[in-house]
Amino acid sequence: SQHKNQAGKAPEGEKSTDPAKQQEPAMKKKAKGDPKTGQEEESHTCCGCRFPLLVALLQLVLGISITVLGFIMAGISSSLLVRDTPYWAGIIVCVVALVGMVMLCVSYQPEEKTCFQFAIKLVYFLLSTLSLITCVLAVAFVAHHYSQIVQFTCDAVLDSCQCKLETSDPLSRTFVYQDVSDCTSVTGTFSLYLLLQMVLNLITAIVCLLACFVMWKHRYQVFFVGVRLHSLTGTEIQQQKV
């Protein structure tokens, strides 16, 4: 009978002394999670995974600035090309910012459970990529014109301003700015506007790249990395049991 009592007490001793079995209920409790902690994590995930308001506001402000400055530049001379007055880049950025604002108004559903939410995120990601490419092109066009205008030698002829890169070369190309009474508006004011456009479009390109990264992180890093970490934790628990 004493042997039976000892045999019956042995499993109880194993249960009380086995650290793996003692940690298992604790791990299950952690897996279930405290309701308050779950709500805090859910609210943090909602604010973190949804599109940040700061990026949308930056895109809207920068888009409006680029558009207004582009139209002001276009008013200096009627002969300016569209590529030299990149208001078109600002308009695209404004549209992207409005799409981002609409995305903020959509009720949050984890992992895109609604078709409308998935569609608006996809449209925003594609438009942000398009805005990034457009702003880079605008910077290239404006920088090329700025590199030329700082080397111009200009003369006012009637209601136009005629500029050359090399006055000594008779075959040098002549750039004519129509409806300009004073050449200082070309070599001074317009060159300053070009410099501002380069800075604004470069900042906007960085913001659009940040927006694309946030959307990629939300879709491919937040959810799936969490699942991977959870599976690794489960593997560690099995190793502890062994």
Side-chain angles (χ1 to χ4, degrees):
S1 62
Q2 293 179 356
H3 292 290
K4 291 181 179 179
N5 291 332
Q6 290 178 358
K9 291 179 180 179
E12 294 178 359
E14 290 179 358
K15 290 181 181 179
S16 59
T17 58
D18 191 1
K21 292 183 179 180
Q22 289 178 355
Q23 291 178 358
E24 185 176 359
M27 295 300 295
K28 289 181 180 179
K29 290 180 181 179
K30 289 181 181 180
K32 292 180 180 178
D34 191 6
K36 294 182 180 179
T37 306
Q39 290 178 359
E40 291 178 357
E41 291 178 358
E42 184 178 357
S43 62
H44 177 72
T45 301
C46 178
C47 295
C49 293
R50 290 181 68 185
F51 180 73
L53 180 62
L54 179 61
V55 179
L57 292 176
L58 281 175
Q59 285 181 327
L60 185 60
V61 172
L62 290 171
I64 293 174
S65 301
I66 293 173
T67 304
V68 173
L69 185 59
F71 282 116
I72 293 175
M73 293 171 65
I76 293 178
S77 175
S78 60
S79 60
L80 287 172
L81 300 177
V82 177
R83 67 181 184 183
D84 297 327
T85 57
Y87 56 85
W88 36 271
I91 293 175
I92 295 175
V93 175
C94 288
V95 173
V96 176
L98 293 177
V99 173
M101 293 294 184
V102 171
M103 190 166 57
L104 284 172
C105 300
V106 178
S107 60
Y108 177 75
Q109 295 292 335
E111 300 189 19
E112 293 89 14
K113 289 184 179 179
T114 61
C115 295
F116 179 73
Q117 186 182 10
F118 176 77
I120 200 72
K121 287 182 179 181
L122 180 61
V123 170
Y124 178 77
F125 181 81
L126 294 176
L127 288 178
S128 294
T129 306
L130 178 62
S131 297
L132 174 62
I133 299 173
T134 304
C135 290
V136 172
L137 287 176
V139 171
F141 289 144
V142 172
H144 176 68
H145 198 166
Y146 181 79
S147 64
Q148 288 182 333
I149 204 170
V150 293
Q151 300 176 1
F152 278 166
T153 301
C154 300
D155 295 322
V157 178
L158 298 177
D159 291 335
S160 65
C161 181
Q162 298 182 2
C163 302
K164 289 185 177 182
L165 288 174
E166 296 179 4
T167 56
S168 60
D169 187 4
L171 300 177
S172 178
R173 180 183 174 184
T174 302
F175 298 86
V176 180
Y177 296 89
Q178 299 291 340
D179 301 327
V180 176
S181 58
D182 188 4
C183 289
T184 56
S185 60
V186 175
T187 58
T189 306
F190 186 69
S191 62
L192 178 61
Y193 289 163
L194 289 174
L195 188 61
L196 288 175
Q197 283 285 8
M198 279 192 291
V199 174
L200 289 175
N201 280 277
L202 183 60
I203 296 174
T204 307
I206 296 174
V207 173
C208 291
L209 180 62
L210 178 62
C212 293
F213 173 74
V214 169
M215 297 302 296
W216 172 84
K217 183 178 179 180
H218 167 246
R219 184 63 185 88
Y220 293 105
Q221 192 173 14
V222 173
F223 295 113
F224 293 101
V225 169
V227 174
R228 183 180 179 184
L229 291 175
H230 182 69
S231 62
L232 289 175
T233 307
T235 306
E236 291 176 358
I237 294 173
Q238 292 178 359
Q239 291 177 355
Q240 289 179 358
K241 287 182 180 180
V242 175

